[in-house]
Amino acid sequence: MISVLIMANGDTEGLGATLAALVPGVAAAVVREAIIIDCGEDRDAARVAEAVGASLVRAGDGEAGWREGVREARGPWLMLLKAGDVPTANWIAVMERFLRREGGQTTGLWLGGSCIVPLGRLRHVAQGLFGRAPLGPRMLLSKAHVVAGHRRPMMLPALPVAFEAAG
């Protein structure tokens, strides 16, 4: 099962949309838990976490925030999202297939359904190919590999999960 880490960044509306999209994943036993990472003292993030039964982690943004979320996670797989990421309808079936087939060989994948990598991800790609890629949104990672310090997400094939912007 998957622990979903969501970087809130003060976007309460986007956070709500992301959490709402995860509900079917909980019902399908794909999502084990949601962990909201709050980079400040956002009272709205705390209220949302309490209302939906998610964990709340108060931490810095970027790598430090993701690391705190990883420490809190209990699932063997971590899906990293930012508030406002809303996976499209096929995501549950894709994740179910992935979890059934995964034999422990994959350390992680970028989500996005395409081998075409947006320009902003080139840094992640280069670091993923030649070293440790920084943790960031729209990644699916093995918790064991992240904790051990190994982050070399596979690039081909990316899981065909598309995202829409909330709002």
Side-chain angles (χ1 to χ4, degrees), residues 1 6 32 62 75 83 93 107 132 135 141 153 165:
M1 292 180 63
I6 307 165
R32 175 184 181 140
T107 60
R132 289 175 21 136
L135 295 174
L141 300 163

Side-chain angles (χ1 to χ4, degrees), residues 36-95:
I36 298 169
I37 303 166
D38 177 31
C39 303
E41 294 293 321
D42 186 353
R43 290 186 183 142
D44 290 336
R47 281 194 281 265
V48 169
E50 185 176 344
V52 301
S55 300
L56 178 69
V57 172
R58 300 224 188 251
D61 61 355
E63 187 81 11
W66 294 119
R67 285 253 164 235
E68 286 300 315
V70 168
R71 279 189 203 88
E72 180 79 17
R74 296 177 305 203
W77 287 97
L78 310 170
M79 180 189 287
L80 282 58
L81 302 174
K82 63 180 178 167
D85 282 344
V86 178
T88 53
N90 71 327
W91 80 274
I92 295 170
V94 170
M95 291 300 161

Side-chain angles (χ1 to χ4, degrees), residues 110 116-130 155:
W110 271 285
I116 298 170
V117 179
L119 221 44
R121 300 292 264 174
L122 287 179
R123 178 175 57 102
H124 289 283
V125 173
Q127 289 176 324
L129 293 174
F130 302 110
M155 289 307 299

